[in-house]
């Protein structure tokens, strides 16, 4: 998968999170989760875009690490939402959890590979 395809995948993931939040019924106790997951989910795509103009190999690895951090936060939030929020489309949340796990694996492997080449 090249960088353009990966960026498109992250953008699609971010967009799907926004759709999930629009479709779900957050209450007074869970509303903060919607705000949080939109931030962390979209931040992964935004940080990946920023990584494309990294100033050095170390800066690139650092920015990819930020993407990974945001994806891990998003995964935890997805799991909490899955357990606590009423949502209309159970397939969407399952897809998002699976996609997030796959993206985490991709970025973890990329970071490990880059670190091993140092």
């Amino acid at each position: 998968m090249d960088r353009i395809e990966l960026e498109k995948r992250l953008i699609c993931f971010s967009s799907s999170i926004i759709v999930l939040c629009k479709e779900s019924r957050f209450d007074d106790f869970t509303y903060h989760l919607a705000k949080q997951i939109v931030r962390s989910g979209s931040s992964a795509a935004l940080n990946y875009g920023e990584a494309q103009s990294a100033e050095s190999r170390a800066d690139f690895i650092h920015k990819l690490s930020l993407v990974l951090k945001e994806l891990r936060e998003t995964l935890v939030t997805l799991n909490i939402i899955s357990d606590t929020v009423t949502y209309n489309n159970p397939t969407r949340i399952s897809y998002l959890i699976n996609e997030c796990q796959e993206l985490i694996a991709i970025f973890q492997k990329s970071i490990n590979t880059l670190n091993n080449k140092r």
Side-chain angles (χ1 to χ4, degrees):
M1 173 179 313
D2 68 15
R3 68 176 185 81
I4 293 171
E5 291 171 327
L6 187 55
E7 185 172 55
K8 286 180 183 178
R9 192 167 169 182
L10 285 164
I11 290 167
C12 181
F13 177 72
S14 299
S15 299
S16 294
I17 286 175
I18 292 167
V19 171
L20 172 77
C21 290
K22 285 181 174 182
E23 292 177 347
S24 300
R25 288 180 228 128
F26 292 91
D27 59 26
D28 292 343
F29 300 104
T30 58
Y31 180 69
H32 72 284
L33 294 172
K35 292 170 51 177
Q36 184 60 38
I37 200 167
V38 168
R39 281 193 298 273
S40 64
S42 60
S43 182
L46 297 170
N47 280 312
Y48 185 71
E50 189 175 326
Q52 301 311 306
S53 60
E55 296 175 4
S56 66
R57 181 184 198 88
D59 188 36
F60 183 67
I61 293 169
H62 172 71
K63 287 180 166 90
L64 289 186
S65 296
L66 293 175
V67 173
L68 182 59
K69 176 184 167 209
E70 296 296 339
L71 286 169
R72 287 187 173 138
E73 180 179 330
T74 300
L75 181 60
V76 171
T77 309
L78 280 168
N79 283 309
I80 294 169
I81 288 171
S82 177
D83 290 344
T84 61
V85 174
T86 303
Y87 43 89
N88 297 332
N89 190 341
T91 305
R92 184 180 313 282
I93 197 143
S94 295
Y95 157 77
L96 285 168
I97 289 170
N98 184 59
E99 180 68 359
C100 195
Q101 290 169 333
E102 288 181 17
L103 289 167
I104 287 169
I106 290 167
F107 282 96
Q108 185 62 67
K109 179 71 173 168
S110 297
I111 292 166
N112 291 345
T113 300
L114 288 164
N115 281 328
N116 289 336
K117 288 184 178 181
R118 278 185 171 181

